[in-house]
Amino acid sequence: METAAETNGAPAWVDISVPLRDGMVHWPDNPEVRITRVQDLERGDDATVSSLSLGAHTGTHVDAPVHFVKGATGVDALAFDSLLGVARVLEIRDARAIRVAELKGHAIQPGERILFKTANSSRGWASKAFLPDFVYLSVEGARYLAERKVRTVGIDYLSIGSAEEGVPTHQALLGADVCIIEGLDLSSVEAGTYDLVCLPLRIAGGDGAPARAILRRR
Ligand SMILES: [Zn+2]
């Protein structure tokens, strides 16, 4: 597996997506993740073929505006520019939430792609159980980022918003055409500026889709 170390003088790509696995952690009221072999070379079948059964918001994924805004855009119609290009990883000190006061210290500019590395990255994905006290973006923080006209926000657990305030947090972002990437694993990257590649599956009209996401240091 590649690391953040330089190879042949060029920074390597780092995988910041979470492996999809049978039985992995998921949002409490979303479908269970089932990945099973329906044909298997080991059992004498001609090929190995898996069945996937999972919610659209499983693991590393992108939320589409239609996830929380009636009649809005689906995941297949998101602008590639939201998910490809320069991104900034910000390390969040607050162990409970991403709040306006801390955001103000990062001079966030219009059009930026911002990925939040929080305490989630070091604890969230090691647990098979859902962690209700994950670090989330506050509603005020979401409104602040929408006003700053950021292009994209990413978070290192299953939702950008808390269990209690997830709806207004998502609405503030998706209603302002801010793209949301959730379920990132930023444990192996530091704060800084990177190239981001994140491509969600082209699910027609989808409210969200699993994605592969990678970063390369600039
Ligand atoms: Zn979401």
Side-chain angles (χ1 to χ4, degrees), residues 63 67 170 182:
D63 281 3
H67 186 32
H170 278 84
E182 296 173 327

Side-chain angles (χ1 to χ4, degrees), residues 6-20:
E6 294 197 355
T7 48
N8 299 328
W13 289 99
V14 179
D15 201 333
I16 55 166
S17 38
V18 170
L20 296 180

Side-chain angles (χ1 to χ4, degrees), residues 57 61 63 67 158-160 170 182:
H57 300 263
H61 67 278
D63 281 3
H67 186 32
L158 287 164
S159 175
I160 188 77
H170 278 84
E182 296 173 327

Side-chain angles (χ1 to χ4, degrees), residues 60-75:
T60 305
H61 67 278
V62 174
D63 281 3
V66 74
H67 186 32
F68 278 98
V69 182
K70 278 185 190 168
T73 309
V75 74

Side-chain angles (χ1 to χ4, degrees), residues 65 68-69 137-151 153 160-161 165-180:
F68 278 98
V69 182
L137 176 63
S138 70
V139 181
E140 296 74 19
R143 291 181 183 142
Y144 173 80
L145 293 171
E147 283 164 17
R148 299 296 303 164
K149 300 198 186 306
V150 303
R151 196 188 302 255
V153 296
I160 188 77
E165 296 183 327
V167 175
T169 303
H170 278 84
Q171 286 172 339
L173 296 168
L174 296 173
D177 277 328
V178 180
C179 189
I180 302 174

